[in-house]
Structure formats: structure tokens, C-alpha cells
Amino acid sequence: MYESLRQRIANGEIAPGERVTEARVVGDYSVARPTAKACIERLVSTGLLQRATHKSATVTALTAADVDDLFLARTTIEDAAARRLATSGDVPRAMLEAQHAIDLAGKLDDRTALVRADMDFHSSMVRASGSERLARMHELITGEILLTIASAGHQSAPIREVAAEHARILDALRERRVDDASTLLIAHLDAAHARVRHAFS
């Protein structure tokens, strides 16, 4: 249910600013109210939903300033994780599987699959860094990251180009080229930031 709601928000079926109530989740998924509440709270914790005091949760609507701040935090966390991972070269299987899924999405021109695989690639990289705090900080912004990956700005990028960027980052990590991994990752995120920023301007 969590993954389903996550994907519906990411693909725009549930739009920014739209309410996601416990009653709606219960009705859509035929689950008990406590289950619906737990799912909503999890989505709030990752930033996909936001909730004001005594208000229903709504899909997060990012501003241009939010996007700038998000990419500042994301780049800081992911660059630190990439440098740690490249030092060991011990790339996790989850990251290899995500790259395979990205390559396949490129061949099939499947943007929905690309969004999911792109998120998996970066999240597994941070988790594999060995830093629990980096992983926790990244988890806090995964919802907002997903909103930017699924945005019209990011979706404008050629899928094969995005796949190639990820492949180069992965190669640098495996080959323990720390500075190259960092440079490639930052360039990748800077390009994504520019595309997304334009969409939210």
C-alpha cells in the first residue's frame, strides 16, 4: 500500500496539494483505519506528504526555493556517501540491480520504471556507505527527491542519457576512483537540479 501510494503521487495521479485522508486510503485499499494512518505517517516522514496541526495530510507542493534547498542537502549527503563507498569499492547488489533496471528502462523508454530505479540507485548507494546517519538523513528527504525525479523537468531528460550518467558513476565507485565518482555524481545532480528548477520556477 505504501509503495502504491508512493508511486501514485510520483506519477502525478495524486497531485501536489491534494488531500490524502485516512478515509480515502481506507476506501482505496480496503484496509483498517490504523493501517491507513500508519501509511500516511510514513509518507509524511519521508516528505511526500505534509501535515499541519489538526489538518489532513496533503501531497507536498515544492517551490523553487524548496528545490534549491533540497538539492543542497541531497548533494551534500550523496557526495559524502559516494566518497565513502568509492574508498572501499564494495558496491551493493541492490545498486547493480538498480542500474540494470535503469538500463532496461532506457531501452524500453519506460519513464515510470526509470523513476523507481533512479530512486533505488541513489538510496542504495547511501545505505551502502556504512554511515547510519547519512542513511537516516537521506531517508528524511526521499519523498521530496521522488517528487523531483518524477517532475516534468526531470522527465525531459533523455532516458538513455540518464542511464549513461548512472553507469559512469557506478564504474567509478567500483574502480575506487573517489574523486571521479564525486565529480560525476555532482555533475549528474547539478544537471538534474537545473532541469527540475526550471519546472518549479
Side-chain angles (χ1 to χ4, degrees):
M1 181 175 61
Y2 168 79
E3 290 297 337
S4 174
L5 276 169
R6 193 169 178 250
Q7 192 59 45
R8 290 172 66 192
I9 293 168
N11 66 24
E13 181 184 339
I14 305 176
E18 192 170 338
R19 295 171 68 215
V20 180
T21 64
E22 291 175 20
R24 177 177 182 175
V25 175
V26 168
D28 286 354
Y29 293 95
S30 299
V31 296
R33 203 171 189 93
T35 303
K37 180 179 180 181
C39 183
I40 289 171
E41 291 306 322
R42 186 177 176 192
L43 289 165
V44 169
S45 73
T46 62
L48 262 180
L49 299 180
Q50 55 189 10
R51 189 206 295 275
T53 305
H54 306 305
K55 299 286 185 180
S56 296
T58 59
V59 177
T60 299
L62 298 174
T63 65
D66 290 330
V67 169
D68 291 343
D69 191 45
L70 173 62
F71 272 92
L72 171 63
R74 181 183 180 185
T75 301
T76 301
I77 294 167
E78 292 192 17
D79 182 43
R83 284 184 168 278
R84 282 180 62 101
L85 187 56
T87 300
S88 69
D90 189 16
V91 174
R93 180 174 178 176
M95 204 171 177
L96 300 176
E97 291 173 347
Q99 182 60 46
H100 177 71
I102 290 171
D103 291 338
L104 186 60
K107 291 175 183 176
L108 299 177
D109 197 32
D110 186 341
R111 291 193 176 274
T112 299
L114 177 66
V115 169
R116 185 166 47 251
D118 194 334
M119 193 74 242
D120 289 344
F121 181 96
H122 290 272
S123 293
S124 60
M125 180 187 72
V126 176
R127 288 194 301 269
S129 71
S131 170
E132 292 182 10
R133 287 169 179 79
L134 284 177
R136 285 207 305 268
M137 288 188 288
H138 197 257
E139 178 66 20
L140 287 173
I141 59 174
T142 54
E144 291 176 314
I145 292 173
L146 186 58
L147 289 173
T148 64
I149 291 175
S151 71
H154 194 276
Q155 293 289 304
S156 67
I159 294 183
R160 294 189 182 215
E161 181 180 310
V162 172
E165 290 176 7
H166 284 89
R168 288 192 289 271
I169 294 167
L170 185 60
D171 286 343
L173 292 170
R174 285 192 292 196
E175 294 165 9
R176 300 186 182 184
R177 292 185 281 116
V178 178
D179 289 340
D180 284 347
S182 173
T183 298
L184 289 165
L185 175 69
I186 290 173
H188 169 67
L189 293 178
D190 283 349
H193 183 188
R195 290 191 297 269
V196 172
R197 182 63 159 76
H198 180 72
F200 283 91
S201 297

